[in-house]
């Protein structure tokens, strides 16, 4: 196996992968954290048959890059997931695991060396596969009901500065309580519809239920990371609306 990137990388082939769904093209770049104690253990796990998971790349805390699955192939990193109508995210994505112990262990800032490597690899992949900015996503965006990686400490704004991903400066937090669990009405339906329009799995039921709270939490982790509380306050809604307004029309 040879690396697909011209960046310096070692290859450590994974056991779990297969051809992508017939006709599927890479349209999504999906970022994860490993959520494990060490990058070495994460590579071993991601490459083992018994794990039933795998990923194309892993970047350790020092910025060293390991490729485990060929970009041509379908790796098993997204699991049960959804974005803009697509449920087989593995068939249409390239996955990068960024080593970090994660929320369950000792969630920590992503070191500068690591972020430099993440940025370089993302720039490379996005250019080679012509991935649209709004389709560079976190695992929590496509599976908000069960995932929180790469999480609110991940610097999406920095990546956007390098031309990777869709970003607007988050609106100022005003301290209003906003909408939350149990609220009902047309404003809730409107919020749910806007989240769905952006790509999230969100049904415009008009009831702020647990699923809505998960989606709002995922949105905040990515786009308004200063406060992640699952409540749709002015700042959250304003940030979402500016993202929607600034997004190129689908298909263009
Ligand atoms: Zn993940």
């Amino acid at each position: 196996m040879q690396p697909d990137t011209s960046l310096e990388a070692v290859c450590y082939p994974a056991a779990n992968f297969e051809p992508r769904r017939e006709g599927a093209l890479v349209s999504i770049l999906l970022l994860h954290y490993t959520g494990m104690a060490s990058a070495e253990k994460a590579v071993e796990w991601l490459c083992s048959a018994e794990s039933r998971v795998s990923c194309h790349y892993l970047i350790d805390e020092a910025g060293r890059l390991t490729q485990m699955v060929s970009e041509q192939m379908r790796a098993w990193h997204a699991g049960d997931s959804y974005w803009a109508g697509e449920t087989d995210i593995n068939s249409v994505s390239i996955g990068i695991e960024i080593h970090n112990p994660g929320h369950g262990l000792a969630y920590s800032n992503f070191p500068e060396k690591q972020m430099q490597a993440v940025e370089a690899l993302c720039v490379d992949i996005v250019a080679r596969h012509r991935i649209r900015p709004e389709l560079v996503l976190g695992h929590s965006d496509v599976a908000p009901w069960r995932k929180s990686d790469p999480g609110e400490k991940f610097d999406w704004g920095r990546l956007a500065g390098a031309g990777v991903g869709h970003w607007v400066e988050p609106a100022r937090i005003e301290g209003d309580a906003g909408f939350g669990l149990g609220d009902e009405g047309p404003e809730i339906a409107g919020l749910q519809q806007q989240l769905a329009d952006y790509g999230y799995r969100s049904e415009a039921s008009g009831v702020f239920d647990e699923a809505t709270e998960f989606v709002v939490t995922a949105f905040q982790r990515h786009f308004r990371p200063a406060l992640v509380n699952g409540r749709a306050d002015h700042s959250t809604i304003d940030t979402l609306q500016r993202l929607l307004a600034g997004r190129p029309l689908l298909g263009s």
Side-chain angles (χ1 to χ4, degrees), residues 26-209:
V26 172
S27 58
I28 292 175
L29 178 57
L30 196 66
L31 305 188
H32 303 259
Y33 65 46
T34 57
M36 292 184 67
S38 78
E40 293 72 24
K41 281 195 163 39
V43 170
E44 265 178 50
W45 177 248
L46 287 161
C47 290
S48 72
E50 54 152 337
S51 70
R52 312 299 293 159
V53 293
S54 62
C55 199
H56 296 92
Y57 292 98
L58 182 140
I59 297 173
D60 76 7
E61 58 273 39
R64 289 176 298 235
L65 179 57
T66 302
Q67 183 165 6
M68 300 167 287
V69 176
S70 159
E71 289 181 9
Q72 277 192 298
M73 304 305 277
R74 180 182 186 274
W76 300 1
H77 56 100
D80 179 18
S81 50
Y82 174 99
W83 191 258
E86 175 64 64
T87 53
D88 182 6
I89 301 294
N90 281 336
S91 270
V92 298
S93 66
I94 289 174
I96 303 176
E97 288 279 359
I98 303 159
H99 176 62
N100 189 297
H103 294 88
L105 290 173
Y107 190 39
S108 46
N109 288 324
F110 295 85
E112 173 59 23
K113 282 257 190 235
Q114 186 180 40
M115 285 306 295
Q116 285 172 9
V118 169
E119 187 179 303
L121 182 60
C122 288
V123 165
D124 172 54
I125 291 173
V126 160
R128 284 189 290 107
H129 294 271
R130 299 183 183 190
I131 294 172
R132 300 156 60 107
E134 68 275 21
L135 293 177
V136 180
L137 300 167
H139 201 185
S140 56
D141 292 314
V142 302
W145 57 94
R146 59 188 191 89
K147 290 292 173 183
S148 47
D149 61 313
E152 62 280 4
K153 290 183 191 290
F154 186 75
D155 193 350
W156 292 97
R158 174 206 175 120
L159 277 197
V164 173
H166 188 202
W167 179 257
V168 296
E169 209 45 51
R172 197 168 58 86
I173 295 167
E174 296 165 28
D176 58 305
F179 300 111
L181 210 53
D183 288 337
E184 294 184 26
E187 287 143 308
I188 305 302
L191 165 70
Q192 290 166 326
Q193 186 59 52
Q194 287 174 348
L195 288 163
D197 289 345
Y198 197 71
Y200 288 95
R201 182 146 100 185
S202 171
E203 192 198 330
S205 65
V207 180
F208 199 119
D209 55 7

